């Protein structure tokens, strides 16, 4: 069986993880210094977001050189040490491949700007007059997705920041260049890859306006995306490595093909549908109360249909683009601990490979910045202006950012209760979250009942029980919007997982008789020997029935 089925993966955002040289910016030696902590979690892989040469306009997702390390983060020998030291601890390193676009500082783009035909065809340049972009497509960071280059009399496509020019995957030379990058890091000993927005790489033959949307329907899960992924994987020999694709606005049908072993594309996919249940009309910048029935429906569909078609999900709540889940769907107050644990249990017992984003395992919350100058993220500072242009007041715009900004998950990792949270000896590049005194690794490591130790137990359960690794999933109590419950069944092993998604007590439609069952884990003390009829606030219970 593929080991990723019993594995848990830890995502690191190096800039905010641990600063080893006192410049207030996290770095690679910082990750090395924390490998024993990472090992203590029980995780099997670490995924590091990009550390390559970059002007850092999008914190490294604007790559100027895929084969060299950004001095801000360290050196190539630091990466070699990280890979070796992690390997000594049985942990594989996964690198982040940003292949939909490069930085406009990349030598390829610089040559293109000089009118070099070969390199212009590495990107998507279109003729046109300065007053009319080729299409009405919008960048995901706001504004037009096209930038005009007067000296060339042409426009280039950038689905993200203007300094992130989309690559032309129709050009075989581009695909071969990127295969060299994969081989380079594979030969370096990395054990897996995360592919950034890889379902956007195949653009249409004809570029036309989008009469109703922002253009994503023309390039999301595009016409040749599966062909290109198969080619990339086959030509670099990574089919047996752990690979995960970040699939923006994707579909189940495509994710089944991306992750079904018979297709020889990727091991698994990130989809984001469950993280849009509080987007009003699908708009990230319009807030609504979370729609829990929609959440349950999305989980049921993605879990069951991927199961029926031998696809595989990456299961996660958090990453470096999403707000902290305990602030979003849990409680920062009275039930902070119970809700953080419940949310973890919800996804860690599901069918798929769980991902933990740094700080999630200690229940870190959004920082609630109240000053635009506290924000660093290009998407957030862009949308602050856009929201004001749309007529929002500064306070309204700041309220939306406080809930939606990607900086919510980019504050320094809270190692201890000291001023710079044990992250650095000097002032960090972004403000720390004010609750570091209560929420930090040092405090939680010593507390058996902490969120941190609850995560360690979840990770251990997946290693011990085939039903969690590879069991069939069946959802139960589907009619109750605030109860997310399911069974995992493997041969004669059955595990029942019951979660109350809300702060209020809920009555179960039928009592769960736990005769003959064993309590594996719960976020409340007690033995449940009386059976389970009601669930307390954010209550989570995991039961084993071995002789079903
Ligand atoms: O994110 C892709 C992506 O879709 C995100 O932009 C996401 O939709 C958005 O942030 C949610 O608001 C990937 C990386 O994870 C992100 O950090 C990069 O900025 C982006 O690609 C471009 O490389
Ligand atoms: Ca540093």
């Amino acid at each position: 069986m593929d080991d990723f089925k019993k594995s848990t993966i830890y995502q690191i955002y190096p800039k905010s993880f641990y600063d080893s040289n006192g410049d207030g910016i996290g770095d690679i030696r910082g990750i090395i210094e924390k490998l024993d902590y990472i090992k203590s979690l029980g995780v099997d892989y670490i995924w590091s977001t990009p550390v390559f040469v970059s002007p850092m306009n999008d914190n490294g997702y604007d790559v100027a050189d895929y084969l060299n390390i950004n001095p801000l983060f360290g050196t190539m020998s630091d990466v070699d040490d990280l890979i070796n030291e992690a390997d000594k601890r049985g942990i594989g390193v996964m690198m982040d491949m940003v292949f939909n676009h490069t930085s406009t500082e990349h030598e390829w783009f610089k040559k293109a700007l000089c009118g070099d035909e070969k390199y212009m065809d590495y990107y998507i340049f279109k003729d046109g007059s300065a007053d009319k972009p080729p299409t009405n497509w919008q960048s995901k960071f706001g504004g037009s997705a096209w930038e005009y280059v007067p000296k060339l009399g042409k426009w280039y496509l950038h689905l993200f920041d203007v300094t992130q020019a989309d690559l032309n995957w129709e050009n075989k030379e581009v695909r071969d260049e990127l295969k060299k990058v994969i081989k380079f890091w594979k030969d370096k000993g990395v054990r897996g890859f995360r592919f950034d927005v890889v379902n956007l790489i195949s653009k249409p033959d004809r570029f036309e306006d989008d009469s109703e949307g922002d253009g994503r329907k023309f390039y999301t899960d595009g016409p040749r995306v599966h062909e290109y992924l198969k080619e990339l994987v086959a030509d670099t020999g990574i089919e047996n490595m752990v690979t995960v694709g970040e699939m923006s606005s994707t579909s189940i049908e495509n994710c089944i093909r991306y992750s079904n072993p018979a297709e020889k594309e990727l091991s698994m996919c990130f989809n984001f549908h469950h993280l849009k249940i509080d987007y009003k009309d699908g708009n990230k910048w319009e807030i609504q109360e979370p729609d829990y029935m929609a959440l349950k429906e999305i989980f049921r569909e993605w879990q069951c249909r991927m199961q029926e078609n031998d696809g595989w999900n990456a299961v996660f709540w958090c990453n470096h683009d999403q707000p902290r889940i305990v602030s979003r769907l849990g409680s920062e107050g009275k039930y902070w601990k119970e809700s953080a644990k419940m949310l973890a249990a919800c996804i860690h017992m599901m069918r798929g490979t769980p991902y933990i984003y740094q700080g999630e395992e200690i229940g870190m919350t959004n920082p609630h910045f109240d000053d635009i100058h506290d924000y660093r993220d290009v998407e957030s500072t862009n949308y602050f202006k856009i929201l004001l242009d749309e007529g929002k007041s500064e306070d309204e715009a700041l309220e939306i950012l406080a809930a939606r900004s990607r900086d919510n998950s980019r504050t320094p990792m809270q190692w201890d209760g000291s001023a710079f949270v044990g992250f650095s000896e000097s002032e960090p590049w972004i403000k720390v979250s004010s609750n570091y005194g209560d929420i930090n690794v040092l405090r939680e490591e010593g507390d058996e009942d902490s969120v941190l130790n609850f995560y360690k137990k979840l990770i251990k359960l997946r290693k011990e029980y085939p039903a969690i690794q590879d069991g069939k999933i069946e959802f139960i109590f589907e009619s109750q919007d605030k109860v997310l419950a399911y069974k995992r069944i493997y041969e004669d092993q059955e595990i029942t997982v019951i979660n109350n998604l809300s702060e209020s007590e809920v009555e179960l439609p039928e009592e769960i008789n736990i005769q003959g069952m064993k309590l594996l884990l719960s976020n409340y003390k007690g033995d449940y020997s009386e059976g389970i009829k009601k669930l307390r606030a954010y209550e989570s219970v995991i039961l084993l029935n071995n002789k079903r």
Side-chain angles (χ1 to χ4, degrees):
M1 179 183 54
D2 305 303
D3 79 343
F4 61 76
K5 290 192 174 180
K6 59 180 173 211
S7 296
T8 300
I9 300 178
Y10 190 71
Q11 181 195 354
I12 292 176
Y13 196 70
K15 201 175 179 182
S16 303
F17 191 60
Y18 185 68
D19 172 23
S20 69
N21 64 350
D23 62 358
I25 296 170
D27 45 53
I28 298 160
R29 297 226 72 82
I31 303 173
I32 295 171
E33 288 186 32
K34 292 296 183 180
L35 280 174
D36 290 337
Y37 165 75
I38 296 167
K39 178 66 182 165
S40 74
L41 297 174
V43 298
D44 307 276
Y45 293 88
I46 51 178
W47 149 32
S48 168
T49 60
V51 292
F52 313 114
V53 172
S54 165
M56 297 295 279
N57 294 329
D58 186 20
N59 274 353
Y61 281 93
D62 44 331
V63 179
D65 181 345
Y66 293 104
L67 306 182
N68 282 293
I69 302 302
N70 185 334
L72 200 67
F73 292 126
T75 64
M76 188 60 80
S77 75
D78 290 339
V79 173
D80 294 335
D81 292 350
L82 171 61
I83 293 168
N84 297 335
E85 289 300 319
D87 189 51
K88 280 190 198 141
R89 294 164 176 82
I91 297 172
V93 172
M94 297 169 69
M95 281 296 198
D96 202 324
M97 298 290 112
V98 188
F99 286 174
N100 175 70
H101 46 265
T102 74
S103 165
T104 50
E105 293 301 310
H106 195 294
E107 60 158 322
W108 299 340
F109 193 80
K110 287 185 176 164
K111 288 178 178 160
L113 278 185
C114 301
D116 180 325
E117 293 292 329
K118 168 181 165 67
Y119 289 100
M120 286 180 73
D121 195 34
Y122 271 35
Y123 296 91
I124 299 169
F125 279 95
K126 295 290 178 192
D127 293 329
S129 55
D131 58 353
K132 186 168 180 341
T135 72
N136 66 351
W137 298 2
Q138 294 296 296
S139 158
K140 293 181 183 291
F141 290 166
S144 170
W146 297 95
E147 180 73 4
Y148 189 65
V149 182
K151 69 178 179 182
L152 296 175
K154 292 179 183 294
W155 297 79
Y156 70 86
L157 180 68
H158 62 89
L159 292 180
F160 294 90
D161 187 63
V162 67
T163 64
Q164 290 167 303
D166 280 56
L167 284 166
N168 172 20
W169 274 70
E170 317 306 310
N171 179 343
K172 177 116 180 21
E173 284 181 56
V174 168
R175 301 199 302 272
D176 292 343
E177 291 273 18
L178 301 176
K179 292 167 192 170
K180 284 189 218 142
V181 174
I182 293 283
K183 288 179 185 153
F184 174 86
W185 288 108
K186 184 176 166 222
D187 297 345
K188 276 251 169 230
V190 303
R191 297 258 305 285
F193 295 99
R194 180 257 190 192
F195 290 98
D196 188 60
V197 283
V198 74
N199 69 321
L200 309 184
I201 60 179
S202 173
K203 274 52 174 206
D205 298 334
R206 224 163 54 74
F207 285 74
E208 56 191 291
D209 278 355
D210 184 340
S211 52
E212 69 255 355
D214 61 5
R216 66 183 68 192
K217 72 178 182 183
F218 292 112
Y219 56 73
T220 302
D221 304 318
R224 282 174 288 285
V225 66
H226 293 284
E227 174 196 332
Y228 292 152
L229 272 178
K230 281 179 172 64
E231 181 192 290
L232 181 79
V233 169
D235 293 1
T236 57
I238 61 172
E239 53 274 357
N240 296 324
M241 294 175 79
V242 173
T243 54
V244 58
E246 182 205 28
M247 308 302 181
S248 179
S249 311
T250 187
S251 66
I252 289 186
E253 293 74 20
N254 277 290
C255 284
I256 287 166
R257 294 176 63 193
Y258 291 136
S259 64
N260 180 313
E263 295 279 352
K264 294 198 178 318
E265 296 181 18
L266 305 174
S267 314
M268 64 190 96
C269 302
F270 289 116
N271 84 81
F272 297 84
H273 296 289
H274 64 300
L275 294 175
K276 296 181 178 176
I277 56 158
D278 50 6
Y279 288 13
K280 192 163 182 303
D281 311 323
N283 176 355
K284 170 175 176 169
W285 307 99
E286 288 253 17
I287 298 176
Q288 70 170 26
E289 277 307 302
D291 177 343
Y292 288 99
M293 265 329 243
L295 178 70
K296 289 182 56 163
E297 181 43 33
I298 290 164
F299 276 140
R300 191 195 59 68
E301 196 184 6
W302 279 81
Q303 285 281 306
C304 296
R305 290 192 50 202
M306 291 289 259
Q307 171 173 263
E308 286 146 20
N309 299 281
D310 204 14
W312 193 258
N313 290 302
V315 287
F316 72 108
W317 283 125
C318 297
N319 68 19
H320 60 291
D321 293 332
Q322 301 292 333
R324 294 285 184 181
I325 199 63
V326 72
S327 299
R328 194 175 188 179
L329 295 184
S331 153
E332 291 185 354
K334 183 173 175 208
Y335 293 109
W336 161 75
K337 186 187 282 188
E338 289 77 10
S339 64
K341 291 178 178 182
M342 177 279 291
L343 289 163
C346 273
I347 58 165
H348 277 254
M349 296 297 105
M350 278 184 185
R351 184 180 178 280
T353 298
Y355 284 71
I356 299 172
Y357 176 67
Q358 66 183 49
E360 180 191 341
E361 77 274 19
I362 59 173
M364 279 178 64
T365 69
N366 292 347
H368 302 286
F369 291 155
D370 54 12
D371 178 337
I372 189 58
H373 300 99
D374 293 336
Y375 287 96
R376 302 281 179 274
D377 168 37
V378 58
E379 183 193 54
S380 302
T381 49
N382 282 3
Y383 269 93
F384 181 69
K385 299 193 198 84
I386 292 169
L387 290 167
L388 295 182
D389 296 348
E390 289 171 355
K392 294 272 190 316
S393 70
E394 284 218 4
D395 287 354
E396 287 168 332
L398 282 172
E399 194 196 330
I400 292 170
L401 251 59
R404 284 284 179 272
S405 169
R406 306 190 302 174
D407 280 334
N408 279 315
S409 57
R410 298 176 181 188
T411 59
M413 176 68 176
Q414 294 165 204
W415 295 103
D416 62 33
S418 63
F420 297 143
V421 296
F423 163 76
S424 176
E425 284 140 25
S426 53
E427 179 156 10
W429 68 278
I430 188 170
K431 260 172 83 174
V432 302
S433 179
S434 57
N435 57 15
Y436 60 85
D438 303 324
I439 301 176
N440 63 64
V441 170
L442 184 62
R443 188 184 167 124
E444 295 192 32
E445 266 181 336
D447 168 2
E448 180 45 31
D449 186 45
S450 67
V451 174
L452 176 58
N453 284 309
F454 189 85
Y455 267 87
K456 292 181 182 179
K457 291 167 187 160
L458 288 170
I459 295 165
K460 201 158 169 292
L461 284 178
R462 176 171 285 273
K463 287 192 173 31
E464 283 170 15
Y465 292 95
I468 299 170
Q469 297 159 12
D470 216 8
K472 191 170 178 312
I473 190 162
E474 279 175 17
F475 285 82
I476 56 177
F477 305 141
E478 295 190 81
S479 60
Q480 231 168 330
D481 71 338
K482 293 295 178 18
V483 176
L484 180 65
Y486 50 86
K487 291 180 181 295
R488 301 297 312 278
I489 303 149
Y490 185 84
E491 293 164 1
D492 61 1
Q493 186 171 87
E494 177 181 293
I495 289 180
T496 303
V497 184
I498 311 156
N499 301 287
N500 176 3
L501 296 167
S502 75
E503 183 146 338
S504 41
E505 189 178 83
V506 290
E507 185 103 7
L508 292 177
E510 67 195 69
E511 173 151 356
I512 295 189
N513 168 347
I514 78 162
Q515 294 319 314
M517 285 203 192
K518 175 178 169 217
L519 175 67
L520 291 180
L521 189 60
S522 74
N523 61 351
Y524 276 84
K525 295 197 174 35
D527 66 3
Y528 298 92
S529 53
E530 303 310 305
I532 305 173
K533 186 77 187 92
K534 287 196 176 98
L535 292 175
R536 289 162 281 189
Y538 299 111
E539 186 159 11
S540 176
V541 185
I542 304 172
L543 301 161
L544 168 68
N545 175 347
N546 243 334
K547 285 176 249 341
R548 68 186 212 95

